[in-house]
Amino acid sequence: MYQGITRFLFEDTAAFAGTRSALQRDCRRRAYGVMRRSHAWGELVARHHPGAVRLSIHPQPRGAAKFGIRLLAAPDVWLTPWHSCVLEHPDGRRELRHRAEAERLGRPVLRDGRPSHFVAAG
């Protein structure tokens, strides 16, 4: 979990003034904070809502406290809508893709002048 969060934070950082190794150190430090907050949130929910079903957009092992659901198909089960783009195929099927990949495979669609998703060439 620690390595996955560290990698995610590293890849998700848009602008960093320091060196690559300084960014990696910063992401490792921040990963521990993410894990502490996630654990605290899980404990709070379990304490105040012991009979509730907790959903997650991330895969979960059998018997976990959370139930993992997939919102859209994706080539990587860890890819989430918050850090990817929707690519719509000619047959209407939609999937999540990294932005660079969606740009390579399709064209952007604008809604009210703002980027919405990508449509694959077909």
Side-chain angles (χ1 to χ4, degrees):
M1 178 193 263
Y2 166 76
Q3 289 176 333
I5 293 170
T6 300
R7 182 183 63 137
F8 164 75
L9 291 171
F10 182 82
E11 292 173 355
D12 201 50
T13 301
F16 186 79
T19 64
R20 182 178 171 92
S21 59
L23 174 59
Q24 288 173 330
R25 282 191 303 275
D26 182 62
C27 291
R28 286 193 294 268
R29 179 189 57 76
R30 289 188 294 141
Y32 283 114
V34 169
M35 291 170 39
R36 279 192 301 272
R37 286 188 301 278
S38 176
H39 180 73
W41 177 250
E43 292 294 315
L44 180 72
V45 169
R47 191 172 331 129
H48 291 280
H49 305 284
V53 174
R54 187 166 177 207
L55 303 177
S56 174
I57 60 166
H58 298 109
Q60 301 295 317
R62 287 184 186 176
K66 296 184 277 186
F67 182 76
I69 59 171
R70 290 182 71 177
L71 300 176
L72 288 172
D76 176 356
V77 296
W78 290 98
L79 197 58
T80 69
W82 289 264
H83 303 97
S84 59
C85 298
V86 171
L87 177 67
E88 184 177 355
H89 293 275
D91 63 4
R93 182 175 47 91
R94 293 178 178 97
E95 67 177 336
L96 298 175
R97 292 289 185 143
H98 287 287
R99 181 185 179 118
E101 199 173 7
E103 287 175 336
R104 183 177 55 78
L105 296 171
R107 63 175 176 74
V109 174
L110 302 179
R111 297 263 166 91
D112 297 323
R114 298 180 65 198
S116 171
H117 62 284
F118 289 84
V119 173

